[in-house]
Amino acid sequence: MIRKYAAQLFLGLLGPAMTLPTYASPPRQDTIPVQRIQNRDSVPVLFGIQSAATLLQAQGSIGYGDIRGIPVTQLENSLYGKLAGLYLFQFNHAPGFDAAAMSVRGQAPLVVIDGVPRSALSIDPEQIASVTVLKDALATAMYGMRGSGGVVMVNTKHGYSGKKRISFTAQSAIQQQLKTPRFLKAYDYARLYNEALQNDGKQPIYSATDLAAWQNGSDPFGHPDVDWYNTAIKDQAAMQRYNLNIAGGNRISRYFVDLDYLNQQGYFVTDPNNKYPTNNFYKRYIFRSNLDVDLTRTTLMTLSLFGRIRNGNEPGATTAGVYSSILGTPNNAYPVFNNNGSLGGNNDYSNNIYGQIVRSGYRPSYNRNLMVDLSLRQKLDTWLPGLYVKGTASFNSYYEEAIDRKKSFAVYNVKTNPVTGETNTSIIGSDGAQSNGSSITAQNRQAYTELSLGYDSTFGQHHLGATLLWYRDSYTNGNVLPLINSALSARIKYDYAQRYLLELAMSYSANNMYRKDKRKGYFPAIGLGWNIAKENWWIGSPLAGISTLKLRASYGRTGNTANAGYYNYLQFYATDGNYPLGNPPTSITAIREAALANPYITWEKAGKLNIGLDIAFAKERFHITVDHFRDQYKDLLMQRGINASSIIGNDLPRENIGATSYRGWEASAAWRTRTGDLSYFIQANGSVLKSRTDDIQEVIRPGQAQKRTGMPVGQLFGLVADGFYASAEDIQTHARPDAYSPVPGDIKYVDQNGDGIIDLRDETAIGSTKPLIYYGATIGLTWKGIDLSMVWQGVKNRDIVLNGSNTWEFQNGGRGQAMEHHLDRWTPATAATASYPRLAVGANPNNQRLSSFWVKDGSYLRLKNLELGYTLPAHWIKFARLQTVRAFANGYNLLTFTGLDRVDPESYQGGYPNQRVFNIGVNVQL
């Protein structure tokens, strides 16, 4: 018997290539049926699937077709504008680190891939069957004290019983930077620097001769004018991706195998004389194999293998170091090269930016993932029809290594005497040998086991489904003791004729980072629903065209252990230097008290209410879903507001003392139709999220306006700007800042309490206090062989704070850059039109403090993606035995509408820029 199944498995893997439909694979036992998800017949939930007609959970799901045409390197970035309730923001844009942060109803979600909680979203979109966001307590209760942040659930593709399909996709892209800084040329920089010195009561340092030399460019070595950004950074960078996957199978075995290669280059210039790479880049190699085998007629084995290698590189000076130097180096600092070809520099600017990129060596990085999932599912129909048992074991290992091959380089300050012509050269630094070291920067492993007993059956018009499940998730980071989450969970679902709906879910879960008597908790949830459109009186009424009118409500308790820390209930002690004692002295190692322990620390808690409405009509072509939610969070871990370090010699421990609440609305709508050769669809979603800080045990504040309690979570507090001081008389008649003597052109602030002094007592909420609104829309059409789609995404009532070297002038001790917006500074001549305060060299305690002046509206609307594709007619490619050939072109971040004039709304601190991508590709299927 074993030989028979082995032979059938082998033949299934090596069978001839044959015709396969281009849509997702057919449904199979214990596998998410992708095409049914997209048709809304069934949807993925935790530990299974459910019928969409009886679904009570608040969730949203998309399939592979919704993300395949978006040219991004990280899966998270393909989800912008796709799912109601999912908010994304991209903090970092450097290759390999550009995954967007995700938030579900204001919380950081748990990521679950193929049923196992893990962080591995850097995977190929070609592997994705579905991405589902689970939002309410009913949807996440089975994860208990890990479920309060919601869940982002990813299911990968599996094989099917059918003819083999081979699919190959090749893509090539050009990346371009969005909203790069606009620095001043040397002449404007120098004259504004003189002006800033005079404003500070100091003498100018640049003479009229200096200014003339920079203005006419007559002395490029003595008076350089170097556009460092365009000297060090290229206009565009390349990106390529190649993917090969094979799927198919027979009655016994089904398989999906995927190979993927990604090469994303950075923007740094290179030197052909280097024998090693100095540009920053990110290369990724992925292998996945999902294999399903029917060992018997009632036994299914699923084996999934996943391997990933990610190689990165950057200059020895690091990517962050180069961008920091660009922000801190004015155009007149030094020439790129001196007249003798040596690198320019001086004592103030000893890091030549060009040298940092091409002469500082390089820093390769390497990391790899290996995942193995094995599950067995046994039907027990002989005992009870619809009964089954399933066991799963998963192992995931991660290793990351950083290699240091940096080296130092010298810069040369060449000074020429304008009278005698003699030159004097001073050397700063030295040309050092290249180092060759390495270190393990991360190493972790995860062992996950799961055992479940399930039942699903229908009796006439009664349908009953039940799941009893136990899991244990052990995660070891480095050499510390493992973090272990475990739970005994259950779900019971009942419906009568898809009309009256009931679902109960619960979890009794535990986390070993708490004291034994505080490790376990019970988390129940309940959902009720009524599909009015299934009533007999409705079916025969004039409203029968509305095929779904489902009211649903859920409530439950969930928890959060993400902030548990490492055995914070135990008091630890740490070494603190050596001290000589005695005569002769003996070195004694001191022991100090580490962070104070809290023996009562426990998990954070949440109570969640969700009320929803689902509507479908026009023969299921139009769907509307609306949800209203109210989430109450309590026992949040935080430190008390007082500073006790000066009293007890240590910081206070974290305690379960915080409370916040979130409420809002989410809506999504979809319309799909076909007319002859033309088919089109429109999908739109929007979310409104309002938060409130209910309790943070805050310190006593002098006025109601300073209190954080009752304000939105994360609300900005600062002074309210009221223009600029216009004159000495204006300064005398207006409230003055405490411990600062203002001058005309400084920012003037509102005296909130009327005491004549501007200080902390005048701080109040600044920026928007309105609910955060985020939304998206996807529009697509196909006509014969042509397909066109676009994705729009936007955010409203979002604030950003502009500060630091990308905003303020002459930072870094007065040696930093200045930018074009500084030309609009306050002077007596521009007092009526100035949009920036008077200039100063270095830090200014009045003008640079947090105030409404630096808080800007970060709202925006983007054309996130646009794709045009053409599928060749079948008779054109039939001779080559090809099933499908599709050529396509797409673009990412093509248009942005925002009130911000000089920065991108997601990249505004001056680091690695956000990017626009133009991509072309071809997909060939056999």
Side-chain angles (χ1 to χ4, degrees), residues 702 705-706 708 715-723 725 734-740 742 746-768 799-802 844-856:
Q706 289 86 46
R708 275 61 170 168
Q715 178 66 46
L716 294 170
F717 279 80
L719 298 176
V720 177
D722 187 24
Y725 289 107
H734 193 275
R736 301 178 63 179
D738 186 29
Y740 178 81
D746 280 333
I747 299 177
K748 183 167 55 176
Y749 300 107
V750 175
D751 184 10
Q752 299 285 350
N753 61 358
D755 65 356
I757 300 174
I758 302 297
D759 55 17
L760 294 177
R761 296 175 178 81
D762 297 299
E763 290 187 347
T764 186
I766 55 177
S768 176
D799 291 325
I800 63 173
V801 179
L802 299 181
N844 184 297
N846 180 78
N847 296 341
Q848 294 172 1
R849 67 187 303 175
L850 180 58
S851 73
S852 61
F853 189 88
W854 305 112
V855 178
K856 306 298 180 183

Side-chain angles (χ1 to χ4, degrees), residues 91-105:
F91 294 94
N92 195 337
H93 305 272
F97 301 94
D98 55 344
M102 298 187 294
S103 172
V104 175
R105 293 182 173 178

Side-chain angles (χ1 to χ4, degrees), residues 376-544:
L376 290 172
R377 187 179 191 272
Q378 177 65 53
K379 290 183 178 181
L380 302 175
D381 290 343
T382 55
W383 292 0
L384 179 65
L387 186 67
Y388 68 89
V389 63
K390 180 184 176 183
T392 298
S394 175
F395 178 77
N396 173 28
S397 69
Y398 177 80
Y399 173 87
E400 181 176 276
E401 180 181 3
I403 301 172
D404 182 3
R405 291 178 179 158
K406 69 177 182 296
K407 63 179 181 179
S408 62
F409 59 92
V411 297
Y412 299 82
N413 185 15
V414 180
K415 294 292 186 181
T416 302
N417 189 313
V419 178
T420 64
E422 295 179 352
T423 60
N424 180 38
T425 302
S426 57
I427 304 175
I428 298 97
S430 62
D431 292 317
Q434 183 170 287
S435 59
N436 189 17
S438 65
S439 60
I440 298 174
T441 53
Q443 190 172 11
N444 56 65
R445 57 192 181 276
Q446 177 190 28
Y448 177 88
T449 52
E450 175 189 310
L451 182 64
S452 62
L453 179 68
Y455 175 75
D456 190 278
S457 190
T458 300
F459 312 92
Q461 292 187 320
H462 301 272
H463 175 258
L464 179 65
T467 302
L468 178 64
L469 177 139
W470 170 87
Y471 78 81
R472 183 180 187 272
D473 187 7
S474 175
Y475 177 84
T476 304
N477 186 11
N479 59 1
V480 302
L481 295 175
L483 165 66
I484 300 175
N485 286 285
S486 59
L488 178 65
S489 303
R491 176 171 58 219
I492 299 176
K493 184 173 176 60
Y494 168 80
D495 71 85
Y496 175 76
Q498 297 185 347
R499 187 186 310 163
Y500 308 118
L501 316 172
L502 170 67
E503 183 173 348
L504 302 172
M506 60 77 63
S507 175
Y508 188 65
S509 56
N511 182 292
N512 69 324
M513 290 296 145
Y514 303 117
R515 203 174 70 185
K516 285 187 177 181
D517 60 341
K518 293 184 174 293
R519 289 181 180 175
K520 299 177 181 179
Y522 176 65
F523 303 91
I526 182 173
L528 297 170
W530 177 28
N531 192 343
I532 302 173
K534 296 294 183 179
E535 295 284 358
N536 293 331
W537 53 267
W538 181 277
I539 296 174
S541 73
L543 299 175

Side-chain angles (χ1 to χ4, degrees), residues 110-113 115-119 143 146 396 446 448 471 473:
L110 180 70
V111 176
V112 176
I113 300 178
V116 180
R118 50 192 166 198
S119 260
Y143 272 126
R146 306 173 77 184
N396 173 28
Q446 177 190 28
Y448 177 88
Y471 78 81
D473 187 7

Side-chain angles (χ1 to χ4, degrees), residues 85 87 102-109 149 629 631 633 662 666 689 691 713 772 774:
Y87 177 68
M102 298 187 294
S103 172
V104 175
R105 293 182 173 178
Q107 308 297 311
F629 62 91
D631 300 340
Y633 298 88
Y662 292 78
E666 297 163 355
L689 178 65
S691 64
V713 177
L772 178 68
Y774 45 103

Side-chain angles (χ1 to χ4, degrees), residues 156-193:
T156 61
K157 294 178 181 178
H158 283 252
Y160 55 91
S161 298
K163 298 175 181 179
K164 181 171 60 179
R165 180 209 63 195
I166 300 175
S167 176
F168 176 73
T169 304
Q171 301 180 64
S172 180
I174 294 296
Q175 307 166 99
Q176 296 180 346
Q177 302 171 88
L178 289 177
K179 291 283 187 178
T180 57
R182 299 190 293 268
F183 299 114
L184 289 179
K185 294 180 71 64
Y187 168 73
D188 285 328
Y189 177 91
R191 67 183 183 87
L192 262 60
Y193 197 94

Side-chain angles (χ1 to χ4, degrees), residues 14-20 163-166 255 881 925-926:
L14 300 181
M18 304 176 81
T19 306
L20 175 74
K163 298 175 181 179
K164 181 171 60 179
R165 180 209 63 195
I166 300 175
Y255 58 89
R881 297 188 178 182
Q925 295 186 17
L926 302 177

Side-chain angles (χ1 to χ4, degrees), residues 6 21 27 33 62 64 69 85 100 115 126 133 180 272 274 280 306 392 413 680 751-752 783 813 848 857 920:
I62 59 175
Y64 161 68
E126 295 284 346
V133 177
T180 57
N274 281 333
N280 57 332
F306 175 82
T392 298
N413 185 15
Y680 61 92
D751 184 10
Q752 299 285 350
W783 179 74
Q848 294 172 1
D857 183 2
I920 59 173

